[in-house]
Amino acid sequence: AAPAGGGGGGARADGVCRYEVVWDAAEVAELCLGVLPVVADGEGGAAFVASLQLSCRCVMVDWADAAAAAATHGALAIAGGGADLDGAEALLWRCLSLLVEVGGAAPSGAEAHFSRGGAAAAEARATGGPVQVFALLADTPRYAPLRGLLRVARKELPRLSIRSVALQGAPPPLGRGLLAAGAPRGGR
């Protein structure tokens, strides 16, 4: 954030400091995933994930099976499109438990990654890389605490590579440049 008005320190004559937050668009490289296991918040989760038009193959998994699926595929998505605040605390606890389980079980060496598929998994095998965790969340107050948890988890669980995407309005064809299926472009 930079002081509004370009002045030093942002102080105005009335003593109030104001800051302007500016977001710059940035190019995002495609992440090639073979299979993306997805856990969903709520009963409309499968429809919400389908509406995202992700270009990788998504497989809906139960919360109880999510850690094993993340270990197998090297990736996991947490999807939520709800707006109702009821049950937000339970969702936060469920996500915290899942992140700790996946982060604690995530391999730290390349030898543990041999069962994964896809280009990202091949790279993880070669480098001993972290488990990729994607949070695909509607931009509603229901997911505000979860976004805070994800920011903390990025620091506390270094074996996870966590990306959070806020979806506003009708979901765009998000996967068309973010999560691509198969091998990287330009050959195998």
Side-chain angles (χ1 to χ4, degrees):
R12 295 185 352 179
D14 60 4
V16 176
C17 289
R18 299 190 191 267
Y19 288 86
E20 177 182 39
V21 176
V22 178
W23 298 98
D24 293 324
E27 290 289 324
V28 178
E30 286 187 4
L31 178 63
C32 299
L33 299 171
V35 175
L36 179 62
V38 180
V39 291
D41 172 36
E43 295 182 19
F48 176 73
V49 171
S51 75
L52 297 177
Q53 301 175 16
L54 298 174
S55 58
C56 61
R57 193 174 120 218
C58 296
V59 177
M60 301 302 293
V61 295
D62 188 70
W63 286 87
D65 302 326
T72 299
H73 299 287
L76 177 69
I78 301 169
D84 189 6
L85 293 177
D86 290 339
E89 303 88 7
L91 172 66
L92 190 63
W93 180 252
R94 181 181 275 181
C95 287
L96 173 61
S97 300
L98 177 60
L99 290 171
V100 168
E101 184 177 358
V102 172
S108 58
E111 66 279 357
H113 291 278
F114 288 122
S115 64
R116 295 187 185 162
E123 182 178 338
R125 280 194 300 272
T127 63
V131 173
Q132 307 293 320
V133 178
F134 302 93
L136 308 171
L137 306 170
D139 193 17
T140 63
R142 175 177 179 80
Y143 301 110
L146 181 53
R147 285 192 185 88
L149 172 68
L150 293 170
R151 283 191 297 273
V152 171
R154 282 186 192 110
K155 302 252 187 242
E156 298 292 329
L157 298 168
R159 292 181 175 184
L160 301 179
S161 176
I162 300 173
R163 296 177 183 101
S164 181
V165 179
L167 306 170
Q168 298 176 341
L174 181 65
R176 302 282 182 232
L178 181 62
L179 306 176
R185 294 174 197 234
R188 291 186 156 185

